[in-house]
């Protein structure tokens, strides 16, 4: 768990220009290895727990800086996409991969930061994700 490295990357993304092809950054802060394809359910549960603790540690540091995070229930966003509602990225991808996101609107940047543990797909790796976007959460 390298919280300082995660914070430094998130800080950088708050000011880095967006790629030409889309208006957000989505990065993997930590990722499992060997859980793709189902893997051992007990090992997966331990990994999810580890990444949730890592997310909470990053949340604590960012809360000191930016104030209390908001929690976005990504299940409701996923349901909205399934009803063919137009949900912008990165929110569509986050809702397909994670259950909830911790959010901050970063003062003075016009950007939003989201942290999420991507564990929705049991056949994929578990990941701690950070997204930075100018697109407000849906």
């Amino acid at each position: 768990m390298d919280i300082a490295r995660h914070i430094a990357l998130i800080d950088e993304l708050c000011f880095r220009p967006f790629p030409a092809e889309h208006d957000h950054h989505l990065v993997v802060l930590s990722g499992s290895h060997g859980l793709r394809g189902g893997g051992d359910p007990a090992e997966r549960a331990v990994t999810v727990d580890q990444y949730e603790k890592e997310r909470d540690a990053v949340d604590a540091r960012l809360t000191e800086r930016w104030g209390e995070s908001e929690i976005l229930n990504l299940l409701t966003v996923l349901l909205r996409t399934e009803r063919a509602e137009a949900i912008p990225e990165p929110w569509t991808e986050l809702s397909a991969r994670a259950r909830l996101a911790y959010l901050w609107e970063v003062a003075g940047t016009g950007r939003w930061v989201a942290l999420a543990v991507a564990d929705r797909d049991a056949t994929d790796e578990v990941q701690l994700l950070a997204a930075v976007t100018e697109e407000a959460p849906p």
Side-chain angles (χ1 to χ4, degrees), residues 35-79:
L35 295 179
R36 185 178 307 275
D40 176 12
E43 182 181 350
R44 183 176 187 81
V46 167
T47 302
V48 169
D49 184 60
Q50 171 191 341
Y51 289 162
E52 287 174 346
K53 288 177 181 168
E54 201 167 327
R55 177 205 57 212
D56 292 348
V58 173
D59 173 61
R61 293 275 299 278
L62 293 178
T63 293
E64 291 173 5
R65 182 185 300 176
W66 296 330
E68 200 67 35
S69 59
E70 297 177 35
I71 305 294
L72 176 62
N73 181 346
L74 293 170
L75 293 174
T76 60
V77 176
L78 182 65
L79 290 172

Side-chain angles (χ1 to χ4, degrees), residues 47-127:
T47 302
V48 169
D49 184 60
Q50 171 191 341
Y51 289 162
E52 287 174 346
K53 288 177 181 168
E54 201 167 327
R55 177 205 57 212
D56 292 348
V58 173
D59 173 61
R61 293 275 299 278
L62 293 178
T63 293
E64 291 173 5
R65 182 185 300 176
W66 296 330
E68 200 67 35
S69 59
E70 297 177 35
I71 305 294
L72 176 62
N73 181 346
L74 293 170
L75 293 174
T76 60
V77 176
L78 182 65
L79 290 172
R80 291 167 61 188
T81 63
E82 289 173 353
R83 291 188 311 221
E85 185 175 337
I87 303 290
E89 292 296 349
W91 308 111
T92 302
E93 183 172 353
L94 283 174
S95 72
R97 298 177 66 190
R99 300 174 201 293
L100 58 89
Y102 289 39
L103 302 171
W104 297 266
E105 185 174 14
V106 184
T109 68
R111 294 188 179 193
W112 288 84
V113 170
L115 286 176
V117 176
D119 68 334
R120 183 182 298 284
D121 184 351
T123 64
D124 202 358
E125 300 292 341
V126 178
Q127 298 175 323

Side-chain angles (χ1 to χ4, degrees), residues 2-34:
D2 192 348
I3 303 308
R5 190 185 82 223
H6 297 342
I7 299 292
L9 179 55
I10 290 167
D11 284 342
E12 179 186 332
L13 295 176
C14 285
F15 296 98
R16 182 190 297 172
F18 293 120
E21 62 274 7
H22 47 74
D23 63 349
H24 66 275
H25 300 291
L26 182 62
V27 297
V28 177
L29 299 176
S30 295
S32 66
H33 301 285

